[in-house]
Amino acid sequence: MNVRISVSGPAADAVRRVVPSLAAERLATGITGLDASLWGAAAEAEAARRLGWTEAVAVSRPLVAEIATLRDELRARGVDHVVLAGMGGSSLAPEVIARTARADLTVLDSTEPGQVRAALGDRLARTALVVSSKSGATVETDSQRRVYEQAFREAGIDPVTRIVVVTDPGSPLEAAAREAGYRVFTADPDVGGRYSALTAFGLVPSGLAGVDLDELLDEAEAIELELALDADDNPGLVLGAAIAATDPRRDKLAIVTDGTHLVGFPDWAEQLIAESTGKDGTGILPVVLGTGAPELARRPADLQVLRLVDDAGTDRHRHGDDGEIHVSGTLGAQFLVWEYATAVAGRLLGINPFDQPDVESAKAAARGLLQARPEPSPAAFVAGGIEVRGTPDVIGAASDLGSALEVLLEEIPADGYLAVHAYVDRVSHPRFAELRDLLAARTGRPVTFGWGPRFLHSTGQYHKGGPANGVFLQLVQRPAEDLAVPGRDFTLGDLIAAQASGDATVLAEHGRPVLTLTLSDPARDLASLRGAID
């Protein structure tokens, strides 16, 4: 077995109680057999066109040689640096694949002007751009493509020689790309974005960056038979039950990297689980943690700890008294196991794991703001250069930065969580992520951290569709230098501001407490935030 799962405590009880019945119901056989009725009548139409990921290995095999040939052609012309313009499912899987294989892939999943400028300034003469969008209409990806097209032309480079497109057949991006003469790879349309790790969306950018794709697909193929068996040791059934069937249910899932060779895997799993399960007022909230996270010491009762290790079940990774889930295995196999487990979790939770009904709301709000261009709402007050705004329940009782944060944190219910959304250049200012541990220590509750607008394609669904027990801290960087989007009447600065404001508006409409801090000097303001939290 190239994936091993070890469970104890409530997770082990859930596995013993639930997996035999799942096996008896022939759930694994049903998923492998593309039975769209497994998640109920309301989900059947969506599920009928979203189970192609179970066949991804076979469907993707012919792509490997094609990708390798293109990679060799590019390198023969001195093009050995690959940039991926993509969001959510189009970027998270290739990022994990490339980082785990130590391949050089720059993932551009931001509209922050400084971060995009930095990418443009990195080896442009040797760069190929992969433009990856399932719908073909992702505004971030379209904007990144336009910026790169202009940069290539200004450098005397024909974009046709440098741009590769990955999209669904029939999408507007496919039509435009073929008309422009770009190289196009189309993916299986019967696979949703977050389940697309082993399709063209995961394989093209990582393969062009130099990853051994045959090995990745071999790893996944080696686990396919086990996942198809209605057996008590089926890893997809075991993991699905462990994360979704504890009694009482632990609906916060701490995903901890603890000595595994997989790099960045929790960020991919975060999207898969949050967007698949966070709907109809229920769901599983993934919380990506380091080994020293405060939650691992305090262990809130509703937090289930899952460790990604390289030797699950060995003495080195003994389970604590509260019970844990330990998962080890190769990357290709784990992609497939987690996809099966998430589909199983959807069945156990009684929801459709393949739709994302609340994602569009924030996108629509952002589009409306870009079209209307209203003046920014006035700040409630300014604290040391930080503009402070928020929902009335948060900002009404605040007079300074410290009190605003205090009021927000007091809004976290006993079963709730805090989500930090940083619309900040994560390349230049990675230390904003350190605020997560500080806030977790302060609150005693699970805290998630997401870079904006990237998280909108990941945990954004859970924030609106999941349990109404989240509170939200937005950090919005005012760009020092903006960047125009060629052919559009907005800049990247306009876009990211609209995305932040649009999401805050939708969260407020859902009754979620929101505190928005607009930063003018990120380094200085980070120090101020640390002081206010402490």
Side-chain angles (χ1 to χ4, degrees):
M1 179 181 294
N2 59 356
V3 170
R4 185 175 180 184
I5 302 172
S6 175
V7 292
S8 66
D13 293 339
V15 170
R16 284 191 293 267
R17 176 170 42 84
V18 172
V19 171
S21 62
L22 296 178
E25 295 166 8
R26 301 180 62 80
L27 180 59
T29 302
I31 293 174
T32 306
L34 312 183
D35 183 352
S37 69
L38 295 173
W39 298 273
E44 190 164 354
E46 182 78 22
R49 57 189 186 91
R50 286 292 179 259
L51 287 169
W53 51 271
T54 63
E55 302 174 325
V57 173
V59 171
S60 295
R61 284 287 186 191
L63 285 175
V64 175
E66 190 177 352
I67 295 167
T69 298
L70 178 57
R71 180 184 66 223
D72 293 343
E73 292 173 359
L74 290 169
R75 290 185 175 180
R77 299 200 304 266
V79 180
D80 58 1
H81 175 227
V82 179
V83 175
L84 169 60
M87 304 297 296
S90 297
S91 65
L92 290 166
E95 185 172 48
V96 175
I97 295 167
R99 292 179 68 191
T100 297
R102 300 183 180 179
D104 183 13
L105 175 67
T106 297
V107 176
L108 186 58
D109 57 357
S110 177
T111 50
E112 202 291 312
Q115 190 169 332
V116 176
R117 283 184 180 279
L120 287 170
D122 181 18
R123 297 169 282 175
L124 184 67
R126 295 161 47 196
T127 293
L129 178 73
V130 179
V131 179
S132 186
S133 170
K134 181 175 175 63
S135 69
T138 308
V139 64
E140 298 96 329
T141 307
D142 176 73
S143 299
Q144 294 153 354
R145 174 184 61 81
R146 291 169 179 269
V147 167
Y148 262 88
E149 284 175 336
Q150 177 173 284
F152 281 138
R153 291 191 181 105
E154 290 176 349
I157 299 168
D158 184 354
V160 171
T161 67
R162 299 297 185 89
I163 292 180
V164 179
V165 169
V166 185
T167 189
D168 271 4
S171 78
L173 177 58
E174 184 198 13
R178 294 196 187 280
E179 182 178 355
Y182 296 148
R183 180 65 175 271
V184 178
F185 290 85
T186 55
D188 184 349
D190 291 334
V191 181
R194 57 189 178 273
Y195 290 82
S196 66
L198 297 173
T199 73
F201 288 105
L203 301 184
V204 172
S206 52
L208 293 180
V211 174
D212 185 339
L213 299 182
D214 279 318
E215 180 180 10
L216 183 73
L217 293 177
D218 287 346
E219 292 169 355
E221 187 174 35
I223 200 74
E224 284 183 319
L225 179 58
E226 292 175 49
L227 290 170
L229 296 176
D230 294 302
D232 290 354
D233 60 352
N234 179 320
L237 300 181
V238 169
L239 183 57
I243 66 176
T246 52
D247 187 17
R249 189 157 64 83
R250 295 181 170 187
D251 65 352
K252 320 292 190 302
L253 181 68
I255 307 177
V256 186
T257 297
D258 194 0
T260 180
H261 69 289
L262 307 182
V263 183
F265 190 89
D267 292 330
W268 174 81
E270 178 184 45
Q271 185 208 15
L272 177 68
I273 296 170
E275 200 166 68
S276 297
T277 70
K279 58 200 70 172
D280 300 336
T282 189
I284 301 165
L285 177 69
V287 186
V288 178
L289 300 181
T291 54
E295 291 96 328
L296 298 178
R298 291 186 176 181
R299 296 291 176 106
D302 54 350
L303 185 72
Q304 175 64 62
V305 175
L306 183 150
R307 295 183 190 271
L308 293 165
V309 301
D310 274 345
D311 47 5
T314 67
D315 288 342
R316 179 174 177 269
H317 292 291
R318 290 180 177 173
H319 295 271
D321 293 339
D322 291 333
E324 294 187 349
I325 307 166
H326 294 170
V327 183
S328 64
T330 59
L331 180 57
Q334 290 227 42
F335 278 143
L336 209 50
V337 167
W338 282 73
E339 287 166 356
Y340 266 88
T342 302
V344 171
R347 166 72 173 255
L348 293 170
L349 296 174
I351 52 93
N352 175 2
F354 306 114
D355 68 348
Q356 49 280 332
D358 300 290
V359 167
E360 182 60 29
S361 57
K363 294 181 182 179
R367 287 195 297 268
L369 290 169
L370 278 175
Q371 292 169 0
R373 300 292 178 83
E375 289 296 319
S377 61
F381 56 89
V382 179
I386 299 175
E387 298 177 11
V388 182
R389 298 175 176 82
T391 48
D393 50 350
V394 174
I395 211 67
S399 58
D400 57 27
L401 182 60
S403 61
L405 282 167
E406 184 174 357
V407 172
L408 178 73
L409 302 184
E410 288 175 349
E411 291 288 325
I412 304 174
D415 64 344
Y417 67 97
L418 169 66
V420 182
H421 299 160
Y423 293 84
V424 175
D425 179 348
R426 69 179 176 121
V427 174
S428 298
H429 304 290
R431 297 195 67 180
F432 273 88
E434 296 173 5
L435 295 176
R436 199 220 71 82
D437 279 5
L438 294 178
L439 289 162
R442 169 84 179 265
T443 64
R445 292 299 302 159
V447 176
T448 67
F449 182 93
W451 296 104
R454 155 180 165 145
F455 79 87
L456 292 173
H457 300 260
S458 179
T459 52
Q461 165 63 41
Y462 185 97
H463 298 152
K464 292 94 171 176
N469 58 3
V471 305
F472 300 87
L473 173 61
Q474 280 194 337
L475 308 174
V476 181
Q477 177 184 349
R478 193 181 300 283
E481 185 178 4
D482 210 341
L483 187 60
V485 179
R488 298 298 192 201
D489 61 353
F490 57 82
T491 66
L492 289 181
D494 294 333
L495 176 55
I496 196 168
Q499 290 174 307
S501 182
D503 194 49
T505 298
V506 174
L507 288 169
E509 290 171 350
H510 281 72
R512 311 309 201 242
V514 182
L515 175 64
T516 299
L517 307 178
T518 302
L519 317 174
S520 56
D521 183 336
R524 179 202 66 195
D525 296 340
L526 176 59
S528 299
L529 283 167
R530 286 179 175 275
I533 294 168
D534 289 341

